[in-house]
Amino acid sequence: MVFELQHTLADSGARAGVITTAHGSIPTPIFMPVGTVGSVKGVHQRELREDIDAKIILGNTYHLYLRPGTDILFKAGGLHKFMGWERPILTDSGGFQVFSLSAIRKLTDEGAHFRSHIDGSRHLFTPENVVDIQRIIGSDIMMALDECAPGTADYSYARKSLDLTLRWMDRGWRRFNDTEPLYGYSQSWFPIVQGCTFPDLRRESARRVADLGADGNAIGGLAVGEPAEVMYDMIDIVNDVLPTDKPRYLMGVGTPVNILEAIDRGVDMMDCVMPTRNGRNAYLFTPDGTMNMRNRKWADDFSPLWPESPSFTGRAYSKAYLRHLFIADELLALQIASIHNLAFYLWLVRQAREHIAAGDFKSWKSCMVEILSQRL
């Protein structure tokens, strides 16, 4: 993997670049649609390519390990071939999913012991076997196993959690370097900065992560209960330490405003389930603000969802039609809203990139944050 930094700014941490992987190039800043089980919910791969123009998507190690399982994925030749997606894929290590299973998991130095949410069967993720699983998945970018501590954790818990994550990180890095890809193309491995909301822990973690010299670095453990301003402070602290010549991936964030604020602070890559999850709940993002498509006000509004949309979906369907589909509980409503929201998120980061290149990102972002905070 190669990262080329193309544009930086004097008045902002925002930057634009290109990540080149075996499955294609990714212009940054970039938003990555979440395809947890090898599928972006409600969106066909053709639509991801042609209507949304997603440059990279995510899969999840935890979910893919449980279903369809590593045997099937290996026989298929990896996730790219299994799902018919020829562009880059990033896989999370499953650490966040194990975090969310707090009632049915136990963390030890060995790894994360957990029960499947599907059938209750017992499993163990270690820093080593999570690398092995991601080798079988064949993702272009794989993530280290970490513990994602709650945003409200106290200092004692955060300290112990970070120590565990750092020990796991070193073991995962060794395993990555001691193993080879399975399908004839290179893979990259990103360590993850943790440390909750404590500046000293975040700095320590960022230094340890930077010292590894991996192809890129991730920032985890944010947007898990802490206030947005605290999240932004942690991003500033971490990006003051992480190397500028490697891509920075902010995991699981967030709203359109969160994304612009993260870009302003030097983040290159982001993902979140929000565009598709909110879309399935009739909540649309637009360049003029947000819309609840169940509201009566859209019932006889026959204007397009987004007249200037780069997506066919945004231009082709009216607000009245989409509201009708939601009220009638039609599955097409979920699909249209998901495609629309993803197209908007990808449009937003492309606009950010253009304004970084033009040198006026800071003023553009300030205007957009105000607009995007409105409810229509």
Side-chain angles (χ1 to χ4, degrees), residues 315-326:
R315 300 188 306 270
Y317 301 109
S318 72
K319 299 177 183 73
Y321 179 62
L322 183 57
R323 179 184 185 274
H324 157 69
L325 294 179
F326 272 113

Side-chain angles (χ1 to χ4, degrees), residues 261-275:
E261 295 291 357
I263 292 172
D264 194 16
R265 289 162 170 80
V267 168
D268 306 297
M269 308 166 69
M270 292 139 288
D271 77 286
C272 190
V273 297
M274 187 169 286

Side-chain angles (χ1 to χ4, degrees), residues 61 70 90-94 127 129-139 141-145 182-183 187 189:
T61 297
T70 52
L90 180 149
T91 44
D92 189 1
S93 66
N129 72 14
V130 163
V131 171
D132 298 341
I133 294 166
Q134 291 177 97
R135 289 289 194 199
I136 293 171
I137 293 170
S139 49
I141 302 172
M142 60 175 78
M143 305 305 298
L145 181 66
L182 300 177
Y183 307 118
Q187 295 175 277
W189 181 91

Side-chain angles (χ1 to χ4, degrees), residues 169-304:
M169 179 184 76
D170 290 339
R171 287 166 52 192
W173 182 233
R174 286 195 296 272
R175 184 62 155 227
F176 174 75
N177 288 305
D178 288 344
T179 56
E180 296 292 333
L182 300 177
Y183 307 118
Y185 56 84
S186 63
Q187 295 175 277
S188 295
W189 181 91
F190 284 16
I192 303 172
V193 177
Q194 290 287 353
C196 296
T197 58
F198 300 101
D200 62 323
L201 299 184
R202 284 284 175 180
R203 289 190 189 95
E204 176 186 346
S205 181
R207 285 193 295 269
R208 289 283 299 274
V209 161
D211 287 347
L212 288 185
D215 286 343
N217 302 299
I219 306 169
L222 295 176
V224 288
E226 78 286 353
E229 289 304 322
V230 173
M231 174 175 70
Y232 300 148
D233 289 344
M234 294 304 106
I235 296 170
D236 279 330
I237 288 167
V238 168
N239 281 347
D240 279 344
V241 178
L242 292 180
T244 58
D245 61 343
K246 303 291 178 69
R248 301 160 174 165
Y249 164 34
L250 178 61
M251 305 178 73
V253 179
T255 68
V257 170
N258 292 157
I259 286 172
L260 292 182
E261 295 291 357
I263 292 172
D264 194 16
R265 289 162 170 80
V267 168
D268 306 297
M269 308 166 69
M270 292 139 288
D271 77 286
C272 190
V273 297
M274 187 169 286
T276 48
R277 179 175 291 170
N278 282 26
R280 295 193 304 273
N281 287 282
Y283 193 86
L284 261 60
F285 300 100
T286 81
D288 299 315
T290 56
M291 300 189 295
N292 183 340
M293 298 314 298
R294 292 186 179 275
N295 285 352
R296 177 67 181 82
K297 67 185 294 184
W298 310 119
D300 57 356
D301 186 335
F302 303 107
S303 63

Side-chain angles (χ1 to χ4, degrees), residues 75-76 214 258 345 362:
K75 289 176 182 177
N258 292 157
Y345 268 62
K362 197 76 172 180

